[in-house]
Amino acid sequence: MPEQVKNTQVEQIIKQCQLLINKGHLSQASENLENMLAQNPGHIEGIYCLAVCQRKQQKYAESMANLNQVLVKAPDHGRAHQEQGFIHKALGETFKAITAFEKAVALNPALFGSWRVLADELDYSNHQEAKKHVDWLSSLPPALVSVSSLIYQKQLHRAERLCRHFLKDHPHQPEAMRLLAE
């Protein structure tokens, strides 16, 4: 099977699993991802997606092991640091959670979830800065937050495609034009 076809199929499986996770069908998503990873070991986004699913199932040790695997291969994977933050928060490890969320937003300032947790942490020293980021990201259409996040993830083709699609319906949105130029 040509590599490009195989990559497209893997991307489709991951998208389907993300939908399953969002709908709360965690067991099915885990099974599908584990099957895909058996055929494509080391696929970073697949491992990351499985780690998200495991966190939501409160399988924190398994999730953390997978996130560590992602971060060994891609240390600048902001969303993986964010997931670690969510796990540390769930385990009551506030300092470790804050450290992970700070690392996440340093790598990807469009990670709303990390900023929200930091803004809600009243003892956090940069609480006001985090609140400003939450307010800014909340003011943007969700599609533009996604575009910004994709840019920080270095997925420029996907970011451009999403931004152009958004601009078809909102041709004079200044932030969309700025993001497309970026």
Side-chain angles (χ1 to χ4, degrees), residues 7-176:
N7 287 339
T8 302
Q9 289 174 339
V10 169
E11 288 175 18
Q12 287 301 318
I13 291 169
I14 291 172
K15 282 182 185 179
Q16 291 169 349
C17 289
Q18 288 169 334
L19 291 172
L20 288 169
I21 291 169
N22 289 338
K23 291 179 181 179
H25 303 296
L26 302 175
S27 296
Q28 183 64 52
S30 289
E31 183 180 331
N32 292 356
L33 287 163
E34 287 168 359
N35 291 337
M36 184 277 294
L37 287 168
Q39 308 248 334
N40 302 277
H43 191 279
I44 290 175
E45 285 306 306
I47 297 168
Y48 166 77
C49 196
L50 179 60
V52 171
C53 192
Q54 290 166 329
R55 175 187 58 87
K56 290 183 178 233
Q57 292 173 303
Q58 299 180 356
K59 297 178 180 178
Y60 300 129
E62 292 173 41
S63 179
M64 192 63 84
N66 280 322
L67 292 169
N68 288 334
Q69 187 179 348
V70 168
L71 290 170
V72 163
K73 293 180 178 187
D76 61 345
H77 198 289
R79 292 172 299 131
H81 288 284
Q82 176 175 263
E83 281 302 311
Q84 286 185 328
F86 287 136
I87 292 169
H88 289 304
K89 184 170 174 29
L91 295 173
E93 300 168 342
T94 304
F95 179 76
K96 287 181 178 180
I98 287 173
T99 301
F101 288 127
E102 285 179 326
K103 179 77 172 178
V105 297
L107 293 167
N108 184 343
L111 291 175
F112 181 81
S114 291
W115 284 120
R116 187 181 62 231
V117 172
L118 292 171
D120 290 345
E121 187 62 48
L122 298 177
D123 293 334
Y124 177 56
S125 60
N126 291 326
H127 168 76
Q128 289 303 321
E129 180 187 341
K131 176 111 175 62
K132 287 178 187 175
H133 281 277
V134 168
D135 292 344
W136 166 247
L137 291 170
S138 296
S139 74
L140 294 176
L144 295 185
V145 174
S146 294
V147 168
S148 185
S149 186
L150 287 168
I151 290 170
Y152 285 107
Q153 294 171 47
K154 298 176 181 72
Q155 296 181 25
L156 302 180
H157 182 69
R158 286 182 60 202
E160 179 182 359
R161 195 174 48 217
L162 180 58
C163 196
R164 286 186 186 283
H165 180 74
F166 179 85
L167 279 167
K168 285 180 183 174
D169 295 329
H170 308 89
H172 302 293
Q173 213 288 350
E175 184 63 12

